[in-house]
Amino acid sequence: MKTTIRDLMTSAVTTLAPEDDLMKADAIMQRGRFRHLPVVRGGELVGLITHRDLLRAQIEALGNDTSEACTTLVALPAGERMRTNVLTTTPDASPAVAARQMLQNRVGCLPVVENGKLVGIVSEADFVKWALDAMDDA
């Protein structure tokens, strides 16, 4: 049977709403130990917040006052900092095509969309796990 993204992806995806603040995003990423949070509205992907986006917002907010950074992150909704030109894939896509897309575009994940709805996410870590499983089987 041919392997597809559906076999590699994480289907229980933690997401944010556009109105959720960046402090919540930071807490979720730290707790879950991941670097990408899809932003959804009504199940549809509207953007993506990455760990880099959070770091950039924190640096911009810092200025000269570290207490101001926390206040700024709480006040900043994800919808204002999310990337909206998000590359995606489908559950039935070939892992080779998706991996090539990630490498060529220098992204660490691809949200998986089917019929307009977010159904999963595939990241670099998923590809590493898949490669390790293949090595163990060899």
Coordinates of all heavy atoms in Angstrom, one line a residue, residues 4-88:
T4 N 0.8 7.8 2.2 CA 0.4 9.2 1.9 C 0.6 10.1 3.1 O 1.0 9.6 4.2 CB -1.1 9.2 1.5 OG1 -1.9 8.8 2.7 CG2 -1.4 8.3 0.4
I5 N 0.4 11.3 3.0 CA 0.5 12.3 4.1 C -0.4 11.9 5.2 O -0.1 12.0 6.4 CB 0.2 13.7 3.6 CG1 1.4 14.2 2.7 CG2 0.0 14.7 4.8 CD1 2.7 14.3 3.5
R6 N -1.6 11.3 4.9 CA -2.5 10.8 5.9 C -1.8 9.9 6.9 O -2.1 9.9 8.1 CB -3.7 10.2 5.3 CG -4.8 9.8 6.3 CD -6.0 9.1 5.6 NE -6.4 9.7 4.3 CZ -7.3 10.8 4.2 NH1 -7.8 11.3 5.3 NH2 -7.6 11.2 3.1
D7 N -0.8 9.1 6.4 CA -0.1 8.1 7.3 C 0.9 8.8 8.2 O 1.3 8.3 9.2 CB 0.6 7.1 6.4 CG -0.4 6.3 5.5 OD1 -1.4 5.9 6.0 OD2 -0.1 6.2 4.3
L8 N 1.4 10.0 7.8 CA 2.4 10.7 8.5 C 1.9 11.8 9.4 O 2.5 12.1 10.5 CB 3.4 11.4 7.6 CG 4.5 10.5 7.0 CD1 4.0 9.4 6.1 CD2 5.4 11.4 6.2
M9 N 0.8 12.4 9.0 CA 0.3 13.6 9.7 C -0.2 13.4 11.1 O -0.5 12.3 11.5 CB -0.8 14.3 8.9 CG -2.1 13.5 8.9 SD -3.3 14.4 7.9 CE -4.8 13.6 8.5
T10 N -0.2 14.5 11.9 CA -0.8 14.5 13.2 C -2.2 15.0 12.9 O -2.4 16.1 12.4 CB 0.0 15.5 14.1 OG1 1.3 15.0 14.2 CG2 -0.7 15.6 15.5
S11 N -3.2 14.2 13.3 CA -4.6 14.6 13.0 C -5.2 15.4 14.2 O -6.2 16.1 14.0 CB -5.4 13.4 12.6 OG -5.3 12.4 13.6
A12 N -4.7 15.2 15.4 CA -5.2 15.9 16.6 C -4.4 17.2 16.7 O -3.4 17.3 17.5 CB -5.1 15.0 17.8
V13 N -4.8 18.2 15.9 CA -4.0 19.4 15.8 C -4.5 20.4 16.9 O -5.7 20.7 17.0 CB -4.1 20.0 14.4 CG1 -3.3 21.3 14.3 CG2 -3.8 19.0 13.4
T14 N -3.6 21.0 17.6 CA -3.9 22.1 18.5 C -3.9 23.4 17.7 O -2.9 23.6 16.9 CB -2.8 22.2 19.6 OG1 -2.8 21.0 20.3 CG2 -3.1 23.3 20.6
T15 N -4.9 24.2 17.8 CA -5.1 25.4 17.0 C -5.3 26.6 17.8 O -5.6 26.5 19.0 CB -6.2 25.2 16.0 OG1 -7.4 25.0 16.7 CG2 -6.0 24.0 15.1
L16 N -5.3 27.7 17.2 CA -5.6 29.0 17.8 C -6.8 29.6 17.0 O -6.9 29.3 15.8 CB -4.5 30.0 17.7 CG -3.3 29.8 18.6 CD1 -2.2 30.9 18.2 CD2 -3.7 30.0 20.0
A17 N -7.5 30.5 17.6 CA -8.5 31.3 16.9 C -7.8 32.7 16.6 O -6.8 33.0 17.3 CB -9.7 31.6 17.8
P18 N -8.2 33.4 15.6 CA -7.5 34.7 15.3 C -7.5 35.7 16.4 O -6.6 36.5 16.6 CB -8.3 35.2 14.1 CG -9.0 34.0 13.5 CD -9.2 33.1 14.6
E19 N -8.5 35.6 17.3 CA -8.6 36.5 18.4 C -7.8 36.1 19.6 O -7.6 36.9 20.6 CB -10.1 36.8 18.8 CG -10.9 35.6 19.2 CD -11.5 34.8 18.0 OE1 -11.3 35.3 16.8 OE2 -12.2 33.8 18.2
D20 N -7.3 34.9 19.7 CA -6.5 34.4 20.8 C -5.2 35.2 20.8 O -4.6 35.5 19.7 CB -6.1 32.9 20.6 CG -7.3 32.0 20.9 OD1 -8.2 32.4 21.6 OD2 -7.3 30.9 20.4
D21 N -4.7 35.6 22.0 CA -3.5 36.4 22.1 C -2.2 35.6 22.0 O -2.2 34.3 22.1 CB -3.5 37.2 23.3 CG -3.5 36.4 24.6 OD1 -2.6 35.6 24.8 OD2 -4.4 36.6 25.4
L22 N -1.1 36.3 21.7 CA 0.2 35.6 21.5 C 0.7 35.0 22.8 O 1.5 34.0 22.7 CB 1.2 36.6 20.9 CG 0.9 37.1 19.5 CD1 2.0 37.9 19.0 CD2 0.6 35.9 18.6
M23 N 0.3 35.5 23.9 CA 0.7 34.9 25.2 C 0.1 33.5 25.3 O 0.8 32.5 25.7 CB 0.2 35.8 26.4 CG 1.0 35.6 27.6 SD 2.7 36.1 27.3 CE 3.1 36.2 29.0
K24 N -1.1 33.3 24.9 CA -1.7 32.0 24.8 C -1.0 31.1 23.9 O -0.7 29.9 24.1 CB -3.2 32.1 24.4 CG -3.9 30.7 24.4 CD -5.4 30.8 24.0 CE -6.0 29.5 24.0 NZ -7.5 29.6 23.7
A25 N -0.6 31.6 22.7 CA 0.1 30.8 21.7 C 1.5 30.4 22.3 O 1.8 29.2 22.1 CB 0.4 31.7 20.4
D26 N 2.1 31.3 23.0 CA 3.4 30.9 23.6 C 3.3 29.8 24.6 O 4.0 28.9 24.6 CB 4.1 32.2 24.2 CG 5.5 32.0 24.7 OD1 6.3 31.4 24.0 OD2 5.8 32.4 25.8
A27 N 2.3 29.9 25.5 CA 2.0 28.9 26.5 C 1.7 27.6 25.9 O 2.2 26.5 26.3 CB 0.9 29.4 27.4
I28 N 0.9 27.6 24.8 CA 0.5 26.3 24.1 C 1.8 25.7 23.5 O 2.0 24.5 23.7 CB -0.5 26.5 23.1 CG1 -1.9 26.9 23.7 CG2 -0.7 25.3 22.2 CD1 -2.9 27.4 22.8
M29 N 2.6 26.5 22.9 CA 3.8 25.9 22.2 C 4.8 25.4 23.3 O 5.3 24.3 23.0 CB 4.5 27.0 21.4 CG 3.8 27.3 20.1 SD 4.8 28.5 19.1 CE 3.7 28.8 17.8
Q30 N 4.9 26.1 24.4 CA 5.8 25.6 25.4 C 5.3 24.3 26.0 O 6.1 23.3 26.2 CB 6.0 26.6 26.5 CG 6.9 27.8 26.0 CD 7.2 28.8 27.2 OE1 7.2 28.4 28.3 NE2 7.4 30.0 26.8
R31 N 4.0 24.3 26.3 CA 3.4 23.1 26.9 C 3.5 21.9 26.0 O 3.8 20.8 26.4 CB 2.0 23.4 27.4 CG 1.4 22.4 28.3 CD 0.0 22.7 28.8 NE -0.3 24.2 28.8 CZ -1.2 24.7 28.1 NH1 -1.9 24.0 27.2 NH2 -1.4 26.0 28.1
G32 N 3.1 22.1 24.7 CA 3.1 21.0 23.8 C 4.4 20.7 23.1 O 4.5 19.7 22.4
R33 N 5.4 21.5 23.3 CA 6.7 21.4 22.8 C 6.7 21.3 21.2 O 7.3 20.4 20.6 CB 7.5 20.2 23.4 CG 7.6 20.4 24.9 CD 8.4 19.3 25.5 NE 9.8 19.5 25.1 CZ 10.7 18.5 24.9 NH1 10.3 17.3 25.2 NH2 11.9 18.7 24.5
F34 N 5.9 22.2 20.6 CA 5.9 22.3 19.2 C 6.1 23.7 18.7 O 6.0 24.6 19.5 CB 4.7 21.6 18.5 CG 3.4 21.9 19.2 CD1 2.8 23.1 19.1 CD2 2.8 20.9 20.0 CE1 1.6 23.3 19.7 CE2 1.6 21.1 20.6 CZ 1.0 22.3 20.5
R35 N 6.3 23.9 17.4 CA 6.7 25.2 16.9 C 5.8 25.8 15.9 O 6.0 26.9 15.4 CB 8.1 25.1 16.2 CG 9.2 24.6 17.2 CD 10.5 24.4 16.4 NE 10.3 23.3 15.4 CZ 11.0 23.2 14.3 NH1 12.0 24.0 14.1 NH2 10.8 22.2 13.5
H36 N 4.6 25.2 15.7 CA 3.7 25.7 14.7 C 2.3 25.5 15.2 O 1.9 24.5 15.7 CB 3.8 24.9 13.4 CG 5.2 24.7 12.9 ND1 6.0 23.6 13.2 CD2 6.0 25.5 12.1 CE1 7.2 23.8 12.6 NE2 7.2 24.9 12.0
L37 N 1.5 26.6 15.1 CA 0.1 26.6 15.5 C -0.8 27.1 14.4 O -0.7 28.3 14.0 CB -0.1 27.5 16.7 CG 0.2 26.9 18.1 CD1 0.0 28.0 19.2 CD2 -0.7 25.7 18.4
P38 N -1.6 26.3 13.8 CA -2.5 26.7 12.8 C -3.6 27.6 13.4 O -4.0 27.4 14.6 CB -3.2 25.5 12.2 CG -2.2 24.4 12.6 CD -1.6 24.8 13.9
V39 N -4.0 28.7 12.7 CA -5.0 29.6 13.2 C -6.3 29.2 12.3 O -6.2 29.3 11.1 CB -4.6 31.0 13.0 CG1 -5.7 32.0 13.5 CG2 -3.3 31.3 13.8
V40 N -7.4 28.9 13.0 CA -8.6 28.5 12.3 C -9.8 29.3 12.7 O -9.9 29.8 13.8 CB -8.9 27.0 12.5 CG1 -7.8 26.1 11.9 CG2 -9.1 26.7 13.9
R41 N -10.7 29.4 11.8 CA -12.0 30.0 12.1 C -13.0 29.1 11.4 O -13.0 28.8 10.2 CB -12.1 31.4 11.4 CG -13.5 32.1 11.7 CD -13.6 33.4 11.1 NE -12.7 34.4 11.7 CZ -11.8 35.1 11.1 NH1 -11.6 35.0 9.8 NH2 -11.0 35.9 11.8
G42 N -13.9 28.5 12.3 CA -14.9 27.6 11.8 C -14.3 26.3 11.1 O -14.9 25.8 10.2
G43 N -13.2 25.9 11.6 CA -12.5 24.7 11.1 C -11.7 25.0 9.8 O -11.0 24.1 9.4
E44 N -11.8 26.2 9.3 CA -11.0 26.5 8.1 C -9.7 27.2 8.5 O -9.7 28.1 9.4 CB -11.8 27.5 7.2 CG -13.0 26.8 6.6 CD -13.7 27.6 5.5 OE1 -13.1 28.6 5.0 OE2 -14.8 27.3 5.2
L45 N -8.6 26.8 7.8 CA -7.3 27.4 8.1 C -7.3 28.9 7.6 O -7.6 29.1 6.4 CB -6.2 26.6 7.3 CG -4.8 27.1 7.5 CD1 -4.3 26.8 8.9 CD2 -3.9 26.4 6.5
V46 N -6.9 29.8 8.5 CA -6.8 31.2 8.0 C -5.4 31.8 8.2 O -5.1 32.8 7.7 CB -7.8 32.1 8.8 CG1 -9.3 31.8 8.4 CG2 -7.6 32.1 10.3
G47 N -4.6 31.0 8.9 CA -3.2 31.4 9.1 C -2.4 30.5 9.9 O -2.8 29.4 10.2
L48 N -1.1 30.9 10.2 CA -0.2 30.0 10.9 C 0.7 30.9 11.8 O 1.1 32.0 11.3 CB 0.6 29.2 10.0 CG 1.6 28.2 10.6 CD1 0.9 27.0 11.1 CD2 2.7 27.8 9.5
I49 N 0.8 30.6 13.1 CA 1.8 31.2 14.0 C 2.9 30.3 14.2 O 2.7 29.1 14.6 CB 1.1 31.6 15.3 CG1 0.0 32.7 15.1 CG2 2.1 32.0 16.3 CD1 0.5 34.1 14.9
T50 N 4.1 30.7 14.0 CA 5.3 29.9 14.3 C 6.0 30.4 15.5 O 5.8 31.5 15.9 CB 6.2 29.9 13.1 OG1 6.8 31.2 12.9 CG2 5.5 29.5 11.8
H51 N 6.9 29.6 16.0 CA 7.7 30.0 17.1 C 8.6 31.2 16.8 O 8.7 32.1 17.6 CB 8.7 28.8 17.5 CG 9.4 29.1 18.8 ND1 10.8 29.3 18.7 CD2 9.1 29.2 20.0 CE1 11.2 29.5 20.0 NE2 10.2 29.5 20.8
R52 N 9.0 31.3 15.5 CA 9.8 32.5 15.1 C 8.9 33.7 15.1 O 9.4 34.8 15.4 CB 10.3 32.2 13.6 CG 11.6 31.7 13.6 CD 12.2 31.8 12.2 NE 13.4 31.0 12.2 CZ 13.9 30.5 11.1 NH1 13.3 30.7 10.0 NH2 15.0 29.7 11.2
D53 N 7.6 33.6 14.8 CA 6.7 34.8 14.8 C 6.6 35.3 16.2 O 6.6 36.5 16.5 CB 5.4 34.4 14.3 CG 5.3 34.0 12.9 OD1 6.2 34.5 12.1 OD2 4.5 33.1 12.5
L54 N 6.6 34.3 17.2 CA 6.5 34.7 18.6 C 7.8 35.4 19.1 O 7.7 36.4 19.7 CB 6.2 33.5 19.5 CG 4.8 32.9 19.4 CD1 4.7 31.7 20.4 CD2 3.8 34.0 19.8
L55 N 8.9 34.8 18.7 CA 10.2 35.5 19.1 C 10.3 36.9 18.5 O 10.7 37.8 19.2 CB 11.3 34.6 18.6 CG 11.5 33.3 19.3 CD1 12.6 32.5 18.7 CD2 11.8 33.5 20.8
R56 N 9.9 37.0 17.2 CA 10.0 38.3 16.6 C 9.1 39.3 17.3 O 9.5 40.5 17.6 CB 9.5 38.2 15.1 CG 9.9 39.4 14.3 CD 9.6 39.2 12.8 NE 10.4 38.1 12.2 CZ 10.0 37.0 11.8 NH1 8.7 36.7 11.8 NH2 10.8 36.1 11.3
A57 N 7.9 38.9 17.7 CA 7.0 39.8 18.4 C 7.5 40.2 19.8 O 7.4 41.3 20.2 CB 5.6 39.1 18.6
Q58 N 8.2 39.2 20.5 CA 8.7 39.5 21.8 C 9.9 40.5 21.7 O 10.0 41.4 22.5 CB 9.2 38.2 22.4 CG 8.1 37.3 22.9 CD 8.5 35.9 23.3 OE1 9.6 35.4 22.9 NE2 7.7 35.2 24.1
I59 N 10.7 40.3 20.7 CA 11.9 41.2 20.5 C 11.4 42.6 20.2 O 11.9 43.6 20.7 CB 12.8 40.7 19.4 CG1 13.6 39.4 19.9 CG2 13.8 41.8 18.9 CD1 14.3 38.7 18.8
E60 N 10.4 42.7 19.3 CA 9.8 44.0 19.0 C 9.2 44.7 20.2 O 9.3 45.9 20.4 CB 8.8 43.9 17.8 CG 9.4 43.6 16.5 CD 8.3 43.3 15.4 OE1 7.1 43.5 15.7 OE2 8.7 42.8 14.4
A61 N 8.5 43.9 21.0 CA 7.8 44.4 22.2 C 8.8 44.8 23.3 O 8.5 45.7 24.1 CB 6.8 43.4 22.7
L62 N 10.0 44.1 23.3 CA 10.9 44.4 24.4 C 11.3 45.8 24.6 O 11.2 46.4 25.6 CB 12.1 43.5 24.3 CG 12.0 42.1 25.0 CD1 13.2 41.3 24.6 CD2 11.9 42.3 26.5
G63 N 11.8 46.4 23.5 CA 12.3 47.7 23.6 C 13.2 47.9 24.7 O 14.2 47.2 24.8
N64 N 13.0 48.7 25.7 CA 13.8 48.9 26.9 C 13.1 48.3 28.1 O 13.7 48.4 29.2 CB 14.1 50.3 27.1 CG 14.9 50.9 25.9 OD1 15.8 50.2 25.4 ND2 14.7 52.1 25.5
D65 N 11.9 47.8 28.0 CA 11.2 47.4 29.2 C 10.7 46.0 29.1 O 9.8 45.7 28.3 CB 10.0 48.4 29.4 CG 9.3 48.2 30.7 OD1 9.6 47.2 31.4 OD2 8.3 48.9 31.0
T66 N 11.2 45.1 29.9 CA 10.8 43.7 29.8 C 9.4 43.4 30.3 O 8.7 42.5 29.8 CB 11.7 42.7 30.6 OG1 11.8 43.2 31.9 CG2 13.1 42.7 30.0
S67 N 8.8 44.3 31.2 CA 7.5 44.1 31.6 C 6.5 44.5 30.5 O 5.4 43.9 30.4 CB 7.2 44.9 32.9 OG 7.3 46.3 32.6
E68 N 6.9 45.3 29.6 CA 6.1 45.8 28.5 C 5.9 44.6 27.5 O 4.9 44.5 26.8 CB 6.7 47.0 27.8 CG 5.8 47.7 26.8 CD 6.4 48.9 26.2 OE1 6.8 49.8 27.0 OE2 6.5 48.9 25.0
A69 N 6.9 43.8 27.4 CA 6.8 42.7 26.4 C 5.6 41.7 26.7 O 4.9 41.4 25.8 CB 8.1 41.9 26.4
C70 N 5.5 41.4 28.0 CA 4.3 40.5 28.4 C 3.0 41.2 28.1 O 2.1 40.6 27.6 CB 4.4 40.2 29.9 SG 5.1 38.6 30.2
T71 N 2.9 42.5 28.4 CA 1.7 43.2 28.2 C 1.4 43.2 26.7 O 0.2 43.1 26.3 CB 1.8 44.6 28.7 OG1 2.2 44.6 30.1 CG2 0.5 45.4 28.6
T72 N 2.4 43.5 25.9 CA 2.2 43.5 24.5 C 1.7 42.2 23.9 O 0.8 42.1 23.1 CB 3.5 44.0 23.8 OG1 3.8 45.2 24.3 CG2 3.3 44.1 22.3
L73 N 2.3 41.1 24.4 CA 1.9 39.8 23.8 C 0.5 39.4 24.2 O -0.2 38.8 23.5 CB 2.9 38.7 24.4 CG 4.3 38.7 23.7 CD1 5.1 37.5 24.3 CD2 4.2 38.7 22.2
V74 N 0.1 39.8 25.4 CA -1.3 39.6 25.9 C -2.3 40.4 25.0 O -3.3 39.9 24.6 CB -1.5 39.9 27.4 CG1 -2.9 39.9 27.7 CG2 -0.7 38.9 28.2
A75 N -1.9 41.6 24.6 CA -2.8 42.5 23.9 C -2.8 42.2 22.4 O -3.7 42.6 21.7 CB -2.3 43.9 24.1
L76 N -1.8 41.4 21.9 CA -1.7 41.2 20.5 C -2.4 39.9 20.0 O -2.0 38.8 20.4 CB -0.2 41.0 20.1 CG 0.3 42.1 19.1 CD1 1.8 42.3 19.3 CD2 0.0 41.7 17.7
P77 N -3.5 40.0 19.3 CA -4.2 38.8 18.8 C -3.4 38.1 17.7 O -2.7 38.7 16.9 CB -5.5 39.3 18.2 CG -5.4 40.8 18.2 CD -4.1 41.2 18.9
A78 N -3.5 36.8 17.7 CA -2.8 36.0 16.7 C -3.2 36.4 15.3 O -2.3 36.4 14.4 CB -3.2 34.5 16.8
G79 N -4.4 36.9 15.0 CA -4.8 37.3 13.7 C -4.0 38.5 13.2 O -3.9 38.7 12.0
E80 N -3.4 39.2 14.1 CA -2.5 40.4 13.6 C -1.1 40.0 13.3 O -0.4 40.7 12.6 CB -2.5 41.5 14.7 CG -3.8 42.2 14.8 CD -3.8 43.4 15.7 OE1 -2.7 43.9 16.0 OE2 -4.8 43.8 16.2
R81 N -0.7 38.8 13.8 CA 0.7 38.4 13.6 C 0.9 37.1 12.7 O 2.0 36.8 12.4 CB 1.4 38.2 14.9 CG 1.7 39.5 15.7 CD 2.4 40.5 14.9 NE 3.8 40.1 14.7 CZ 4.8 40.9 15.0 NH1 4.6 42.1 15.5 NH2 6.0 40.6 14.8
M82 N -0.2 36.5 12.5 CA -0.2 35.2 11.7 C 0.3 35.4 10.3 O 0.1 36.4 9.7 CB -1.5 34.5 11.8 CG -2.6 35.2 11.0 SD -4.2 34.3 11.3 CE -5.2 35.3 10.2
R83 N 0.9 34.4 9.8 CA 1.2 34.3 8.3 C -0.1 33.9 7.6 O -0.7 32.9 8.0 CB 2.3 33.3 8.1 CG 3.6 33.7 8.8 CD 4.5 32.5 8.9 NE 5.6 32.8 9.7 CZ 6.9 32.8 9.2 NH1 7.1 32.5 8.0 NH2 7.8 33.2 10.1
T84 N -0.5 34.5 6.6 CA -1.7 34.2 5.9 C -1.4 33.5 4.6 O -2.3 32.8 4.0 CB -2.6 35.4 5.6 OG1 -1.8 36.4 4.9 CG2 -3.1 36.0 7.0
N85 N -0.2 33.6 4.1 CA 0.1 32.9 2.8 C 0.7 31.6 3.1 O 1.9 31.3 2.9 CB 1.1 33.8 2.0 CG 2.3 34.1 2.7 OD1 2.4 34.1 3.9 ND2 3.4 34.5 2.0
V86 N -0.1 30.7 3.7 CA 0.4 29.4 4.2 C 0.3 28.3 3.2 O -0.7 28.1 2.5 CB -0.5 29.0 5.4 CG1 0.0 27.7 6.0 CG2 -0.5 30.1 6.5
L87 N 1.5 27.7 3.0 CA 1.5 26.5 2.1 C 0.8 25.3 2.8 O 1.0 25.1 4.0 CB 2.9 26.1 1.8 CG 3.8 27.1 1.0 CD1 5.2 26.7 0.9 CD2 3.2 27.3 -0.4
T88 N 0.0 24.6 2.0 CA -0.7 23.5 2.6 C -0.5 22.2 1.7 O 0.0 22.3 0.6 CB -2.2 23.7 2.7 OG1 -2.8 23.9 1.4 CG2 -2.5 25.0 3.5

